[in-house]
Amino acid sequence: MTTSKFRLFLLLGLAGALLLVLVVVSPMLLISVPSFISDGGGTSTDCTDDVQVEGVSDSAASDIPADYLELYKKYGKEIGVQWNILAAVGKRETDHGRSNLPGVKSGTNYAGAAGPMQFLISTWGGKARVSMSSEFNGYASDGDGDGVGDVYNPADAILGAAKMLKRNGAPENVRRALFTYNRAWWYVDQVVEIAKKYAESGDVRVPPQASEECDDPLVAAAPSEVVAKILQFALAQRGKPYLWGGTGPDAFDCSGVIYAAYRAAGLTIPRTTFEQWPFGVKVAGGDEQPGDLVFFNAGPGTGPDRPGHVGLVVSKGKMLEARCRLCGPIKVTSYQARGNRVGFTRPLQNPDVLDQLKRLQNATL
């Protein structure tokens, strides 16, 4: 054996021995790395809870000003996004308002962004301070209740940022929401790493039901075989895009995915939200069950007696919905926090559907 080959052999042997020592002596080095499941995954096997409340790490407590930390946690909970993601955005953008760069406390930076959360003025409402009594198109928000959405006010800016992240996919799809906030994947990676350090668990939690791992328990808990088939089809559409008027197979609107799910179970119900609302038997809030529909006063031409948005109840407090083109893909979300909820219906109790169920039952005998 030549000297060079002997040296190579010796180095390979030493590397193998070192790896063996790591595995035998310190197995926790291989299993204790905190995980972040992007695009809607989750590490929890509990398929009933919302986003788990993250404790504040020592790193967060020492780095985030107390007033900012309170705002991140308050509006994270109120809007339904991870507080540590909000805080990580604030850190990455302006060091929680402590930066003295242009645009943080006044004016704008070179890109036209302003305030502690660095909103583009065009996305805030067209100007830095927006009267909340006026009509505007943007994320201007009034966190401190003074009637003005001030992009330089931390309470207003953090509330606006929470709304923006929520609209674009959080808490289920954090990475997508962050990419919309600042269209660069390196930015997304940096914010996620900061968020992990801020959480006591060293992770970024997403709703467990955002994970496909929770589909089987939801289907198994269905009150009937028919409802199980409805849920199975509906949940399989998660991740597909919203398309107004869409009934699949590649994209759906809110009522279209429900219409298709019922058809997958051999049942025909009305196609549109406006038709689905009077079709089902009304169900009192709290009595809803999987397979029922939940309606919202949302969208053009809608009202309290004419809801324009619908979701499919998959478990208590949870629904599958195709919300809007800018709201992210079809996903499982919470309906309990929605302030414009109109009510619930049960299409399976409609006389026509009951006749269809009888025919299906007779066909299997």
Side-chain angles (χ1 to χ4, degrees):
M1 180 181 295
T2 65
T3 302
S4 60
K5 287 184 178 180
F6 177 79
R7 288 175 178 173
L8 177 61
F9 179 80
L10 182 61
L11 288 172
L12 290 174
L14 289 172
L18 178 60
L19 178 61
L20 181 62
V21 169
L22 286 173
V23 173
V24 174
V25 177
S26 302
M28 289 304 293
L29 291 175
L30 302 180
I31 62 175
S32 64
V33 179
S35 60
F36 172 74
I37 307 299
S38 65
D39 298 331
T43 58
S44 173
T45 56
D46 182 352
C47 297
T48 58
D49 293 336
D50 287 318
V51 179
Q52 298 183 39
V53 177
E54 295 279 15
V56 179
S57 70
D58 292 340
S59 174
S62 63
D63 184 46
I64 305 173
D67 55 340
Y68 271 72
L69 179 58
E70 182 180 351
L71 292 170
Y72 292 136
K73 297 182 75 173
K74 175 182 178 181
Y75 292 124
K77 180 178 181 180
E78 179 178 311
I79 302 302
V81 302
Q82 296 89 337
W83 76 264
N84 53 323
I85 286 290
L86 266 179
V89 171
K91 174 66 174 181
R92 177 60 184 78
E93 294 291 352
T94 68
D95 192 21
H96 310 299
R98 290 177 293 212
S99 171
N100 291 316
L101 291 173
V104 177
K105 299 177 176 65
S106 64
T108 63
N109 67 6
Y110 70 94
M117 303 303 281
Q118 289 292 277
F119 271 96
L120 292 173
I121 294 299
S122 59
T123 63
W124 182 255
K127 53 185 179 180
R129 294 176 176 84
V130 178
S131 171
M132 304 309 293
S133 62
S134 63
E135 292 185 5
F136 66 95
N137 183 19
Y139 289 102
S141 302
D142 181 16
D144 62 358
D146 65 355
V148 176
D150 185 346
V151 75
Y152 304 108
N153 183 308
D156 297 354
I158 292 171
L159 175 56
K163 291 179 179 178
M164 186 175 185
L165 292 170
K166 178 73 171 181
R167 180 179 179 87
N168 290 293
E172 295 86 4
N173 194 328
V174 173
R175 293 183 65 85
R176 181 187 184 280
L178 290 171
F179 183 79
T180 304
Y181 202 98
N182 189 338
R183 294 181 177 277
W185 289 114
W186 57 261
Y187 173 88
V188 174
D189 292 338
Q190 288 181 6
V191 171
V192 167
E193 285 305 312
I194 296 170
K196 289 180 182 180
K197 294 175 182 177
Y198 280 170
E200 194 172 40
S201 68
D203 206 348
V204 178
R205 300 292 176 84
V206 298
Q209 286 189 349
S211 170
E212 292 183 3
E213 296 175 359
C214 290
D215 287 1
D216 290 342
L218 289 174
V219 173
S224 69
E225 184 179 346
V226 170
V227 173
K229 290 180 179 179
I230 292 170
L231 296 187
Q232 194 168 30
F233 178 90
L235 290 167
Q237 311 316 306
R238 188 176 46 220
K240 293 183 178 180
Y242 174 93
L243 176 66
W244 186 83
T247 55
D250 299 321
F252 299 84
D253 66 10
C254 64
S255 56
V257 68
I258 294 171
Y259 172 78
Y262 270 76
R263 282 183 64 86
L267 301 172
T268 299
I269 65 172
R271 160 67 186 88
T272 69
T273 305
F274 293 139
E275 296 171 314
Q276 289 175 0
W277 168 243
F279 181 80
V281 173
K282 299 296 187 295
V283 177
D287 293 335
E288 73 276 8
Q289 63 185 28
D292 291 346
L293 308 187
V294 53
F295 292 84
F296 302 87
N297 178 13
T302 69
D305 298 320
R306 185 177 165 82
H309 180 59
V310 61
L312 174 70
V313 176
V314 296
S315 69
K316 269 295 173 63
K318 298 291 185 179
M319 65 178 172
L320 180 126
E321 67 168 340
R323 190 170 183 182
C324 72
R325 185 177 62 84
L326 297 176
C327 301
I330 296 171
K331 55 192 172 184
V332 173
T333 62
S334 171
Y335 58 74
Q336 291 179 318
R338 299 280 183 88
N340 57 347
R341 191 170 73 236
V342 173
F344 303 88
T345 71
R346 186 164 297 158
L348 293 175
Q349 291 298 313
N350 177 279
D352 183 50
V353 174
L354 290 174
D355 288 340
Q356 294 179 52
L357 288 169
K358 288 180 181 179
R359 289 196 294 270
L360 288 174
Q361 186 177 12
N362 292 335
T364 59
L365 295 178

